[in-house]
Amino acid sequence: MTIEQVQQLIRPNILALKPYSTARDEYKGNIGIYLDANENPFENGYNRYPSTTLKAQVRSTIAQKKDVNPARLFLGNGSDEAIDLLFRIFCRPGVDNVISIAPTYGMYSVCAAINDIEYREVMLGQEFSLPVDELLGAADAQSKLLFVCSPNNPTANAFPYEQLITLVKQFPGIVVVDEAYIDFSSEPSMVELIDEYPNLIVLQTLSKAYGLAGLRMGIAFAHECIISVFEQVKYPYNIGADTLALAQRLLDVDITSQVQTIIAERERVAAALRELPYVIKVYPSDANFLLVKTERSRELYEYLIARELIVRDRTHTPGCESTLRITIGMPEENDRLIAELRARD
Ligand SMILES: *Cc1c(COP(=O)(O)O)cnc(C)c1O
């Protein structure tokens, strides 16, 4: 898809938008007496709006880490903000539709409902395989977005890179690949392809591998022509001053060994669960959690709650019947889980 074709997917009212310009957008310097933003002049550490300079620094820190041009990334208040912006930028309420795999992350359908956009689900195939032809077949002229979460939540598997590229090449709209769990995956990230394919948007987050869920920071990687529209549509100061300062500091921490530990623990817990007589299947995982099919899963869930072990019950998710989703914790927490499960039979 060409850049011109991508631009034609944008809602006409968004293309015509004259963005709100903040005081800090207009004057970008760092020194002076600020009488431009109606702030309270008494210093308390927070009396000023968040610094655009600091935001630019965080942006370039992330750009360096991910080896992309800073103009090709957008920082959102969690990836959930980026997901909502995608709907508001591309989808005309009551007219357009989006397509998604199922089962998958719940925010895509919630955002579709909030924005009054038809949500077309295509069930994953055998062993949660990607239904490439069915996804392409579900598209029509009003299909603006295709959501593929890879590694997928809650099925835990990553889809083959080549299949994702086929979707990007053949889908007539924007393909959104949600890589919230990519740091735990054996498949490579698609971020390096955003230059080549202007209809590809990759979402990542600081909430999982980076261990910063409490900060609320998500990232959208895309061609500049899309990022510039994100910047026009977002709220003026979407990321707070504290979040920016903490992100700048905490992004320096090397997460490699934590990620390695979580992956090793994932395989250890999976092996232990496979030994249990009432476990039917532990699905292969490219994420920091396991999807486990068991006999009487709801009872097992209640049994764990009674022992103060909280997991996610996915029993009623179509395609995930009789499953629990278990996040990998610290080694001693995983030991407790395994011990309680062994004590059960
Ligand atoms: C956890 C998760 C996110 C993260 O959302 P944030 O708003 O960045 O915390 C995004 N996508 C998927 C699929 C997730 O599981």
Side-chain angles (χ1 to χ4, degrees):
M1 198 177 283
T2 65
I3 294 168
E4 291 69 34
Q5 286 170 314
V6 169
Q7 267 156 347
Q8 280 167 15
L9 295 167
I10 298 171
R11 289 166 67 194
N13 58 312
I14 300 295
L15 274 180
L17 195 67
K18 197 174 169 303
Y20 175 74
S21 167
T22 68
R24 291 296 178 273
D25 288 331
E26 285 171 23
Y27 176 74
K28 290 212 163 81
N30 262 333
I31 39 168
I33 296 172
Y34 289 105
L35 306 176
D36 58 347
N38 296 349
E39 296 151 335
N40 181 325
F42 291 91
E43 289 295 338
N44 62 12
Y46 291 96
N47 57 316
R48 301 292 174 187
Y49 281 106
S51 147
T52 45
T53 321
L54 180 55
K55 185 162 185 195
Q57 276 169 12
V58 174
R59 202 167 164 163
S60 78
T61 303
I62 295 178
Q64 256 174 14
K65 273 194 179 288
K66 302 288 177 180
D67 199 20
V68 297
N69 183 328
R72 297 195 168 129
L73 69 88
F74 165 79
L75 297 179
N77 193 324
S79 7
D80 294 337
E81 181 186 8
I83 294 168
D84 188 54
L85 283 171
L86 285 168
F87 280 94
R88 293 198 285 139
I89 290 168
F90 291 103
C91 303
R92 292 166 295 175
V95 177
D96 290 326
N97 66 73
V98 303
I99 298 170
S100 177
I101 56 170
T104 193
Y105 185 47
M107 274 308 288
Y108 317 138
S109 65
V110 170
C111 270
I114 290 170
N115 289 287
D116 191 18
I117 303 300
E118 182 194 344
Y119 186 75
R120 298 183 176 173
E121 292 183 305
V122 178
M123 290 299 284
L124 295 176
Q126 282 295 316
E127 303 287 318
F128 301 135
S129 60
L130 194 63
V132 174
D133 295 338
E134 290 87 339
L135 287 167
L136 293 172
D140 60 26
Q142 279 72 49
S143 301
K144 294 299 167 72
L145 308 172
L146 166 61
F147 286 97
V148 183
C149 181
S150 182
N152 187 32
N153 179 4
T155 60
N157 58 318
F159 302 111
Y161 192 72
E162 287 304 321
Q163 291 183 0
L164 294 173
I165 292 179
T166 303
L167 286 176
V168 174
K169 282 184 177 160
Q170 297 188 15
F171 187 71
I174 301 287
V175 177
V176 185
V177 180
D178 187 341
E179 295 188 346
Y181 300 98
I182 195 67
D183 299 282
F184 305 104
S185 179
S186 51
E187 290 288 334
S189 166
M190 306 201 79
V191 163
E192 63 187 38
L193 299 179
I194 53 175
D195 275 353
E196 201 173 333
Y197 301 107
N199 67 322
L200 169 65
I201 299 182
V202 176
L203 302 179
Q204 291 187 3
T205 176
L206 301 189
S207 296
K208 307 287 158 64
Y210 279 89
L212 299 174
L215 268 195
R216 308 309 300 132
M217 195 180 286
I219 311 154
F221 298 92
H223 196 278
E224 284 118 291
C225 71
I226 294 177
I227 296 299
S228 65
V229 183
F230 267 93
E231 293 294 337
Q232 290 175 22
V233 178
K234 70 165 178 61
Y235 290 143
Y237 301 103
N238 61 330
I239 309 214
D242 264 353
T243 301
L244 289 173
L246 285 166
Q248 182 66 355
R249 189 153 65 76
L250 294 168
L251 275 165
D252 254 355
V253 177
D254 186 5
I255 56 161
T256 319
S257 86
Q258 288 185 6
V259 168
Q260 279 168 356
T261 301
I262 292 167
I263 292 174
E265 281 294 295
R266 175 184 82 200
E267 296 311 313
R268 181 176 78 89
V269 175
L273 297 187
R274 287 190 183 106
E275 300 292 313
L276 297 168
Y278 53 86
V279 166
I280 298 164
K281 180 151 188 153
V282 180
Y283 291 92
S285 174
D286 272 291
N288 65 340
F289 59 87
L290 292 167
L291 187 73
V292 187
K293 191 180 209 103
T294 74
E295 288 163 15
R296 290 173 287 131
S297 55
R298 183 70 203 181
E299 267 174 61
L300 186 59
Y301 172 79
E302 309 275 0
Y303 168 90
L304 290 171
I305 294 265
R307 281 149 191 83
E308 296 173 338
L309 278 157
I310 324 301
V311 302
R312 197 89 199 261
D313 182 13
R314 297 281 81 175
T315 295
H316 300 295
T317 305
C320 291
E321 289 79 7
S322 213
T323 62
L324 301 180
R325 193 193 70 189
I326 304 177
T327 306
I328 300 303
M330 292 298 281
E332 54 278 16
E333 295 174 327
N334 304 329
D335 285 342
R336 254 292 298 293
L337 172 82
I338 293 166
E340 295 290 2
L341 289 174
R342 282 184 180 151
R344 183 172 182 248
D345 49 63

